[in-house]
Amino acid sequence: MKKLFKNAFIIDPSNDLAGKYDLLLDADKIVAIKKEINQEGCMIIDLKGKILLPGLIDMHTHLREPGFEEKETIKTGCEAAAAGGFTTIACMPNTNPVADNQATIEYIKARAKEAVVNVIPIGSITKGSSGKELAEIGFLSEAGVKAISDDGNPVMNSEIMRRAMEYASSFSLPVISHCEDKNLAGDGVMHEGYYSTILGLKGIPAAAEEVMIARDIILAEMTGAHLHIAHLSTARGVELLRDAKKRGLKITAEVTPHHLLLTDQKVKGYNPDTKVNPPLRSDRDRKALCKGLKDGIINVIATDHAPHTYEDKLGEYDLASFGISGLETALSLLYDNFIDKNVFTWEELLDFMAYGPAEILGIKHGGLKKGSTADITVFDPDISWKVSKEKMKSRGKNTPFANNVLQGRVVLTVVKGNIVYNNMNGEARILYDN
Amino acid sequence: MPLKRKDLLGLYIISGAEIKEILDTSEAMKEIFTRSVKKIPTLRGKTIVNLFFEPSTRTKSSFDLAAKRLSADVMSISKSTSSVMKGETLLDTAKTLEVMGADVVVIRHSIPGAAEFLANNIRASVLNAGDGAHAHPTQALLDLYTIREKKGKIKGLKVLIIGDIAHSRVARSNIWGLLKMGAEVRVAGPATLLPLEIEKMGVKRYTDLDKALEGIDVINILRIQLERQARGLFPSINEYRHFYGINQERINNDDILVMHPGPMNRGVEIESAVADGNSSVITEQVTNGVAVRMALLYLLVGRNNEDEKIV
């Protein structure tokens, strides 16, 4: 049955839309966007007061399957994505086995077929993500990966990183770098600064990230490869990128909502849900990240969704796993803290969370226009809601935003014309059969 | 007057007035030491659990003795004898202690924040006996007590803490306590052993020991752990001794109170002549530790027993 969305405020800068429109879907395609559409025999959904956006893309998630299904599965991760308004997500290869081979990629794709949102696998740079020997990057590309990364680990050996960049260029794959000098980071568990000093926790200096960003920029310049910096977290990192971009290098970068919003001060009280890699940095870093985004130095906001079990995050801070479960809170956090406060606009947000990631991954995002695949996110700015661990769709309940009251919430997620998430009446339901 | 809090986790959250109250109570406790029978019935029927996940001889025996002098029942659990070795979590250990009716849990743990975690998950009072590099409030309180006892005051004194500040819970707790009591605090050591942004705590930072020593009233010398050298934080023991070792030559003023939380590396961070010299109060710190811990146990458990008197 055709679906007719009425009275939505539609925003899509790539198709010059910013106003009240009706939108008609037939099967998986958008067939009309007009000021008013009246058609019989459709499912009519009234979106008065709500904002309709092109589907969001998160280019950095951890779906944990295969190997760590107790933390998340492709199915549950995609449910969390749908609840967060994402219609496409890219998943990192640090599974078990590592996604360094075609078979694992095929497995992920097969599981993803049964999931509610689109999944793009990312292959590893090196075999087993061990940083020693190149993975079969060509075969990975043939299997459908859109980028390569050893995320979770840096490629410490500069020679290997150089060869990875050279080799990946032949397949037009961006190299996503987890920039962390392991020796400098040591066994640190939080940002090294005043709060690590008073809390007595071992620090990870900002320099551990910055020296690797500098190295990778130099290697990218040498090889001409497309380098994408994952989860940028420091002020000096933003400056290094600013310089690199001035020289015209093909370098992109992403930042997470938690690095835009939280600082190392949040670690006070030793809540393991604040333990993340890279760590929550200083307020100076946080402000530089916001400015870097506004200036266009940082291209993308990605959640680095890293779900963990209750036990992984229980007890002593040093022993807890790194990571924040981020898919379900991202859009509300960004709306509440940035759009609602006029720090950036919906148009900018769509660059950060839809068109930017699509371009980096080399995938098509037609946005909202006649003939495009109907991947749509509907957001209600008037809903005020409390983040509740119990109600999260992700298996990972590890959020430092638990019990925060946020303004604005995703109410509908449409993937290939199917409503996969419906929160119009507050039931927050995932729908498999449309 | 009981303490205004359930737990004692660190000195950063406690007021100067509360510190003064603890020190005053410690004085009353120390008086008991002079009696022929050094035991009072104040905590009879109370259960104190010493939960030591990290080896410690002095702190543990000091707490043991303090609890026994107050007539409490004392139970000791160490890492090697606990179910931690079998994979039990700290939360489960806490729940076990809860149902066993512990009134105070004294915890020593190698991980910062472990005491706070326990305190958040147990009804009993939690007394932090050292958690990683975070806090060691009872050590700091006994240091404050000793300074006040010897110098008659804390306010206005210039106190130097020397050594491995980065990895020291003693240093951190001393800094908070001393600042709250109005002292000027300096820290000194090799730059590799001074944590980042330590000045923001309100202390002066020195890498030149002789400058740091100028005009000081009290010096608190921290133990150097030899494994720090293996990790490249300083080049050799010999070099450390040369630049940061406290010897008679450097401390040539009998008015400077010399302290050390122990155990000492004699001939490394402190020369024997200084450790055993007239200005040293190192052994008295140990004695005062028992009094301070008695005071704290009394004040924490006493929160439910306001009518009970010390004597």
Side-chain angles (χ1 to χ4, degrees):
Chain A
M1 185 187 263
K2 288 181 181 176
K3 297 182 185 79
L4 178 57
F5 296 95
K6 296 285 289 179
N7 305 313
F9 193 93
I10 298 186
I11 302 173
D12 182 5
S14 76
N15 290 300
D16 286 329
L17 294 169
K20 280 206 174 140
Y21 293 93
D22 292 351
L23 185 147
L24 182 66
L25 305 186
D26 188 2
D28 63 337
K29 292 280 189 279
I30 297 171
V31 292
I33 303 175
K34 288 182 186 161
K35 281 287 173 193
E36 186 155 1
I37 303 172
N38 290 307
Q39 191 162 350
E40 306 246 317
C42 307
M43 177 199 285
I44 294 173
I45 301 135
D46 187 4
L47 296 181
K48 194 177 176 199
K50 297 168 181 57
I51 296 164
L52 190 150
L53 306 161
L56 304 182
I57 299 175
D58 187 350
M59 66 174 290
H60 190 148
T61 71
H62 296 271
L63 296 182
R64 307 299 190 199
E65 187 182 359
F68 306 104
E69 288 82 356
E70 73 281 10
K71 294 176 190 280
E72 191 83 288
T73 62
I74 292 170
K75 180 174 181 278
T76 58
C78 287
E79 289 181 359
F86 294 97
T87 54
T88 298
I89 56 177
C91 60
M92 285 296 174
N94 57 340
T95 47
N96 185 20
V98 169
D100 61 359
N101 60 83
Q102 284 175 300
T104 306
I105 299 296
E106 292 302 337
Y107 175 82
I108 292 167
K109 282 160 59 183
R111 297 307 300 247
K113 268 189 191 158
E114 297 157 18
V116 287
V117 305
N118 305 308
V119 176
I120 293 173
I122 292 172
S124 68
I125 297 173
T126 62
K127 287 177 186 156
S129 280
S130 60
K132 290 181 183 147
E133 206 181 335
L134 289 187
E136 291 177 332
I137 295 168
F139 282 140
L140 289 170
S141 176
E142 273 190 358
V145 308
K146 297 294 181 190
I148 52 170
S149 180
D150 276 358
D151 188 59
N153 285 301
V155 178
M156 280 297 289
N157 183 322
S158 305
E159 158 77 358
I160 301 280
M161 192 59 162
R162 171 202 169 167
R163 299 304 177 197
M165 286 188 186
E166 284 173 341
Y167 196 78
S169 301
S170 323
F171 299 94
S172 302
L173 291 175
V175 177
I176 302 177
S177 179
H178 170 117
C179 291
E180 180 186 14
D181 183 311
K182 280 285 190 191
N183 298 315
L184 271 174
D187 47 6
V189 295
M190 70 172 292
H191 174 62
E192 184 173 346
Y194 174 66
Y195 289 100
S196 67
T197 291
I198 63 167
L199 294 170
L201 290 168
K202 291 196 187 90
I204 301 171
E209 181 169 330
E210 291 153 355
V211 295
M212 287 297 261
I213 292 174
R215 181 202 73 170
D216 285 350
I217 287 172
I218 290 164
L219 292 176
E221 186 158 20
M222 176 188 182
T223 59
H226 176 182
L227 168 70
H228 178 80
I229 307 288
H231 42 54
L232 183 67
S233 76
T234 80
R236 186 79 184 92
V238 177
E239 291 316 306
L240 287 164
L241 278 169
R242 199 183 294 272
D243 290 347
K245 288 199 166 183
K246 265 187 205 158
R247 291 207 307 284
L249 304 182
K250 197 174 173 185
I251 296 177
T252 51
E254 71 191 29
V255 64
T256 72
H258 49 269
H259 287 109
L260 290 171
L261 292 168
L262 303 177
T263 67
D264 55 345
Q265 186 178 9
K266 187 83 179 168
V267 181
K268 273 173 89 175
Y270 300 97
N271 175 4
D273 285 343
T274 62
K275 186 173 170 183
V276 61
N277 186 15
L280 301 173
R281 300 286 186 188
S282 70
D283 197 46
R284 184 177 149 265
D285 292 308
R286 190 191 67 78
K287 285 178 177 147
L289 294 171
C290 292
K291 187 168 185 303
L293 201 53
K294 192 75 187 169
D295 293 349
I297 303 299
I298 302 170
N299 310 71
V300 163
I301 300 175
T303 65
D304 191 4
H305 175 72
H308 287 292
T309 65
Y310 170 74
E311 290 77 17
D312 292 334
K313 286 286 196 180
L314 177 69
E316 301 92 318
Y317 203 86
D318 279 10
L319 306 180
S321 299
F322 287 99
I324 287 171
S325 181
L327 283 165
E328 290 165 78
T329 51
L331 188 58
S332 294
L333 286 167
L334 295 167
Y335 174 79
D336 195 351
N337 289 283
F338 295 110
I339 295 182
D340 203 29
K341 294 184 172 61
N342 298 315
V343 180
F344 51 70
T345 63
W346 276 113
E347 284 76 8
E348 286 170 318
L349 183 105
L350 290 173
D351 271 343
F352 305 146
M353 298 180 79
Y355 293 110
E359 193 181 328
I360 290 165
L361 294 172
I363 56 175
K364 203 176 155 200
H365 196 324
L368 305 174
K369 68 177 179 211
K370 192 176 168 182
S372 283
T373 302
D375 286 347
I376 292 167
T377 303
V378 180
F379 187 80
D380 186 340
D382 295 328
I383 294 178
S384 177
W385 63 292
K386 192 182 201 179
V387 179
S388 151
K389 287 193 177 201
E390 294 73 32
K391 289 183 181 168
M392 286 172 75
K393 305 286 184 200
S394 170
R395 285 196 177 169
K397 317 293 183 192
N398 43 310
T399 172
F401 300 104
N403 299 319
N404 282 23
V405 175
L406 301 179
Q407 187 63 35
R409 191 169 188 185
V410 174
V411 287
L412 272 185
T413 305
V414 180
V415 177
K416 291 177 192 155
N418 293 318
I419 295 173
V420 296
Y421 175 73
N422 187 344
N423 191 29
M424 292 282 281
N425 52 10
E427 287 180 1
R429 279 193 305 151
I430 297 289
L431 302 158
Y432 280 91
D433 299 311
N434 280 263
Chain B
M1 266 289 286
L3 275 183
K4 290 190 190 99
R5 55 193 71 247
K6 173 171 100 62
D7 315 293
L8 182 67
L9 304 176
L11 296 191
Y12 50 96
I13 37 172
I14 203 166
S15 70
E18 282 173 291
I19 292 175
K20 185 174 178 299
E21 186 192 336
I22 296 165
L23 301 186
D24 292 346
T25 311
S26 305
E27 236 167 64
M29 292 296 176
K30 196 172 175 184
E31 187 272 325
I32 295 164
F33 296 5
T34 60
R35 301 179 189 175
S36 58
V37 178
K38 299 176 182 60
K39 191 157 181 162
I40 54 171
T42 311
L43 297 190
R44 187 181 291 154
K46 299 290 182 189
T47 304
I48 314 287
V49 178
N50 284 330
L51 191 61
F52 276 63
F53 288 130
E54 197 183 59
S56 154
T57 309
R58 344 180 128 221
T59 306
K60 186 172 170 299
S61 36
S62 181
F63 269 109
D64 266 341
L65 193 56
K68 283 171 182 160
R69 285 192 172 164
L70 294 169
S71 306
D73 295 324
V74 190
M75 186 166 67
S76 290
I77 301 171
S78 65
K79 189 173 182 177
S80 55
T81 59
S82 78
S83 294
V84 171
M85 298 302 276
K86 299 175 191 165
E88 184 173 86
T89 64
L90 186 53
L91 182 61
D92 288 332
T93 306
K95 283 178 177 164
T96 307
L97 298 175
E98 186 82 56
V99 295
M100 290 171 98
D103 295 290
V104 180
V105 179
V106 177
I107 180 174
R108 161 69 65 96
H109 202 291
S110 59
I111 297 179
E116 186 166 339
F117 175 78
L118 188 69
N120 291 338
N121 286 287
I122 191 168
R123 275 195 303 275
S125 288
V126 172
L127 222 170
N128 187 357
D131 60 335
H134 172 228
H136 195 353
T138 58
Q139 177 68 44
L141 286 164
L142 76 88
D143 291 342
L144 291 170
Y145 181 86
T146 308
I147 293 170
R148 194 177 80 163
E149 188 181 49
K150 296 291 169 187
K151 291 282 186 185
K153 62 171 186 177
I154 298 171
K155 194 174 180 180
L157 294 179
K158 292 184 175 65
V159 182
L160 171 65
I161 306 170
I162 163 98
D164 185 358
I165 312 294
H167 302 92
S168 174
R169 51 191 169 219
V170 175
R172 284 168 176 79
S173 284
N174 262 277
I175 290 168
W176 293 124
L178 287 162
L179 290 173
K180 289 196 175 185
M181 298 306 281
E184 177 191 310
V185 186
R186 303 175 184 182
V187 295
T192 46
L193 296 180
L194 298 175
L196 226 56
E197 303 191 30
I198 183 85
E199 299 95 326
K200 281 193 184 167
M201 290 179 81
V203 303
K204 292 182 182 168
R205 174 188 184 274
Y206 295 83
T207 49
D208 180 333
L209 179 58
D210 294 320
K211 280 189 185 153
L213 284 167
E214 281 171 18
I216 60 154
D217 301 295
V218 179
I219 182 165
N220 198 347
I221 304 158
L222 302 177
R223 173 184 169 78
I224 279 297
Q225 291 199 304
L226 305 180
E227 76 217 40
R228 307 288 178 221
Q229 190 202 332
R231 288 190 52 205
L233 295 177
F234 59 90
S236 71
I237 292 294
N238 203 24
E239 184 157 319
Y240 186 88
R241 179 173 32 229
H242 176 72
F243 288 101
Y244 299 103
I246 299 298
N247 53 34
Q248 202 71 62
E249 208 178 317
R250 281 188 161 123
I251 302 278
N252 54 6
N253 178 350
D254 275 354
D255 289 340
I256 297 178
L257 202 64
V258 175
M259 307 176 80
H260 192 302
M264 290 181 279
N265 291 308
R266 285 175 179 265
V268 181
E269 73 265 5
I270 186 166
E271 193 179 55
S272 279
V274 176
D276 305 328
N278 292 336
S279 312
S280 168
V281 289
I282 295 168
T283 51
E284 282 157 280
Q285 284 174 268
V286 179
T287 311
N288 290 340
V290 179
V292 165
R293 286 165 182 133
M294 285 170 74
L296 282 165
L297 290 173
Y298 166 71
L299 289 168
L300 287 172
V301 181
R303 71 201 155 91
N304 297 324
N305 298 280
E306 291 189 31
D307 298 336
E308 290 191 27
K309 299 281 179 275
I310 299 178
V311 285

